[in-house]
Amino acid sequence: MRVRVGQGFDVHPFIDDPDRPLVLGGVVFDDPRALAGHSDADVIAHACADALLGAAGLGDIGEHFPDTDPAWAGADSIGLLAEVARRVRAAGWEPGNVDASVVTDHPKLAPARTHMQEKLSAAVGAPVTVKGRRPEGLGALGRGEGAACWAVAVVTRA
Ligand code: MG
């Protein structure tokens, strides 16, 4: 069996927009702030997608879903992640698991962790785990200016 690993990273800035939902790991949080971006700006789904694409040698999310393409404006990133998993399988690789570390000052992620993991795992068709970390006041993330996520994925082929 061949095994490959991929790494993904994403970051989006917070904005004050009460009309825009804050989406992390496919879960909508009740929060007055939102993450800015062309799609729904779900940093967790995006980092997981890039990790899977990297593991399969398929480039990155920007190549697959260009932010200049109006088709992806406001896109549901859980749907993008499911499409990425489909393309990974089409290339002959089976997702093994994905593990993500989110760094953000808010919102509190722990209460939604199980729900996020369920949504992400369903999209990938393999276990996705999410760990939240606070930036302890350091830098832009510590000032609450944005949220970042790192993810690692394993794919296999017989
Ligand atoms: Mg992104």
Side-chain angles (χ1 to χ4, degrees):
M1 184 174 74
R2 292 166 67 194
V3 178
R4 286 178 58 152
V5 65
Q7 182 258 346
F9 169 76
D10 196 30
V11 61
H12 282 269
F14 277 117
I15 51 168
D16 290 312
D17 183 350
D19 296 326
R20 185 176 163 84
L22 173 58
V23 184
L24 289 165
V27 174
V28 177
F29 285 75
D30 185 16
D31 195 290
R33 307 183 81 191
L35 289 167
H38 185 66
S39 66
D40 63 13
D42 184 338
V43 288
I44 304 178
H46 292 177
C48 292
D50 252 1
L52 285 165
L53 289 170
L58 292 176
D60 63 43
I61 195 170
E63 295 171 43
H64 289 261
F65 309 103
D67 63 9
T68 51
D69 185 342
W72 308 113
D76 169 9
S77 295
I78 286 291
L80 297 190
L81 181 59
E83 175 60 18
V84 162
R86 192 193 66 75
R87 294 182 188 189
V88 165
R89 288 190 174 91
W93 295 96
E94 181 59 30
N97 77 296
V98 185
D99 186 38
S101 290
V102 194
V103 181
T104 188
D105 194 58
H106 70 280
K108 278 196 174 9
L109 299 176
R113 182 177 182 175
T114 301
H115 194 193
M116 290 190 291
Q117 292 182 159
E118 287 170 357
K119 299 270 273 192
L120 294 160
S121 299
V124 174
V128 180
T129 43
V130 177
K131 305 184 300 294
R133 289 283 178 272
R134 307 194 80 120
E136 307 293 345
L138 292 170
L141 296 175
R143 291 189 295 273
E145 294 176 12
C149 184
W150 287 258
V152 172
V154 163
V155 298
T156 62
R157 116 189 279 161

